[in-house]
Amino acid sequence: MALFTGKGDRGDTGTFGTKERISKSSAISEALGTLDECNSFLGLCKAKARETSFQFGPRPIAELVHDVQNHLFTAQAEVAGAQKTISAASVSAMEELIHAIEKELPPIRSFLIAGATELSAWFDVARTLARRVERRVVAVHEEGKRPMGEHTRAYLNRLSSLLYALARLANAQAGITETPPAYQG
């Protein structure tokens, strides 16, 4: 199998299981690209989590991130037109995990400056990418380009919260006190 086909040289691309060609600048292409970008960046987070033996309870965070990456592939397939969607059970499981992590952390009283540890910084960047993914997928849904499942949209909304919780957990496990912004003028 060749790594390129040349079919997209005119600025269009194919979608999942159809003969449809869409512009590479379309809302669908943008959503697919941001999903791929976030998923790839989560690969860095997973590798760093594995390298640092980052865990929550008995579960390695690298395994958890791998599960998230699989869910992002499901969302990507859905955006591309496949009859796939993220389940309500997956959203509930993520919510339970976020709540469990949150119980281990000091309460949030303000915004926090990113970069207290390298691992937390990786998760903070992933969080911002997840927010962009959510915006792009919602745009595809709202523009009527693809009807996105409500649970897929909910999962993508929760993803940034999970990544924020993981960034904070990395700091807590490293014994770092998080710093709020000084709002200097």
Side-chain angles (χ1 to χ4, degrees):
M1 175 187 217
L3 294 177
F4 68 92
T5 64
K7 292 178 182 177
D9 291 352
R10 294 180 312 271
D12 61 359
T13 189
T15 59
F16 190 84
T18 71
K19 295 182 185 206
E20 175 186 24
R21 302 290 296 172
I22 60 171
S23 170
K24 289 185 177 184
S25 67
S26 71
I28 291 170
S29 290
E30 184 65 22
L32 291 170
T34 58
L35 279 157
D36 185 36
E37 179 182 18
C38 186
N39 206 333
S40 295
F41 197 87
L42 284 171
L44 288 170
C45 294
K46 177 173 66 178
K48 192 66 172 173
R50 188 179 301 119
E51 178 184 303
T52 60
S53 301
F54 185 33
Q55 289 195 193
F56 181 66
R59 188 164 188 207
I61 296 300
E63 287 179 10
L64 185 147
V65 172
H66 189 83
D67 288 347
V68 169
Q69 289 178 294
N70 273 312
H71 281 94
L72 289 181
F73 271 104
T74 300
Q76 200 167 6
E78 186 174 357
V79 170
Q83 296 299 308
K84 298 189 178 300
T85 193
I86 295 174
S87 69
S90 294
V91 176
S92 293
M94 183 182 280
E95 289 172 346
E96 289 172 20
L97 179 59
I98 294 166
H99 289 312
I101 293 170
E102 200 171 28
K103 287 178 185 176
E104 302 295 317
L105 301 171
I108 302 170
R109 303 207 188 290
S110 74
F111 288 105
L112 301 169
I113 296 177
T117 63
E118 183 180 357
L119 183 57
S120 72
W122 286 108
F123 280 112
D124 274 323
V125 173
R127 173 186 51 80
T128 67
L129 295 174
R131 281 287 186 213
R132 184 172 8 168
V133 163
E134 181 186 12
R135 291 190 304 269
R136 297 301 185 259
V137 170
V138 166
V140 165
H141 178 76
E142 287 179 349
E143 292 173 13
K145 305 293 184 191
R146 292 274 194 272
M148 298 300 299
E150 69 176 288
H151 303 302
T152 296
R153 288 178 283 135
Y155 186 92
L156 295 175
N157 180 258
R158 301 300 180 285
L159 179 56
S160 59
S161 297
L162 174 63
L163 296 171
Y164 184 63
L166 291 173
R168 295 196 67 223
L169 182 63
N171 288 337
Q173 287 185 1
I176 302 293
T177 301
E178 296 166 309
T179 307
Y183 296 103
Q184 297 170 336

